[in-house]
Amino acid sequence: GTSSVKAILVGENGLVQSSRRAGYPTTRGPGGVAEQDPDDYLEAMTEAVRQLDGDLSTVTGIGLAGHTPTAVFVDRAHRPARSAMTWQD
């Protein structure tokens, strides 16, 4: 979860039909600071879903999960105000 988005396509029978991942970079700074660009999360999610094999026209639901603890602070327009601060141990 701290280096890529994972996407899976599950059929009505509960079996995984396809799975893909798309990575995003982490910027590391002094003292172990780790930050990520929240826009990279969206780009990676879009890429991972587009790579799934299967009939996406029958999708009836989507689930998303993130990693924690990561803080994404947003401005009044709900856009990221800065890079996401992530804890990576």
Side-chain angles (χ1 to χ4, degrees):
T2 57
S3 63
S4 66
V5 169
K6 287 83 172 175
I8 62 171
L9 180 61
V10 179
E12 289 183 18
N13 59 5
L15 298 176
V16 175
Q17 297 177 358
S18 180
S19 64
R20 296 290 183 266
R21 67 176 35 198
Y24 43 80
T26 299
T27 302
R28 300 194 187 280
V33 171
E35 296 184 339
Q36 296 168 328
D37 184 339
D39 289 331
D40 290 340
Y41 299 155
L42 180 58
E43 289 176 26
M45 181 191 66
T46 302
E47 181 182 335
V49 170
R50 283 188 178 147
Q51 291 178 12
L52 289 170
D53 298 322
D55 184 6
L56 297 180
S57 68
T58 62
V59 171
T60 58
I62 296 175
L64 301 171
H67 57 85
T68 58
T70 296
V72 177
F73 298 101
V74 297
D75 61 20
R76 291 182 184 196
H78 303 119
R79 295 285 311 146
R82 63 173 324 277
S83 297
M85 297 177 286
T86 183
W87 180 266
Q88 297 182 341
D89 52 2

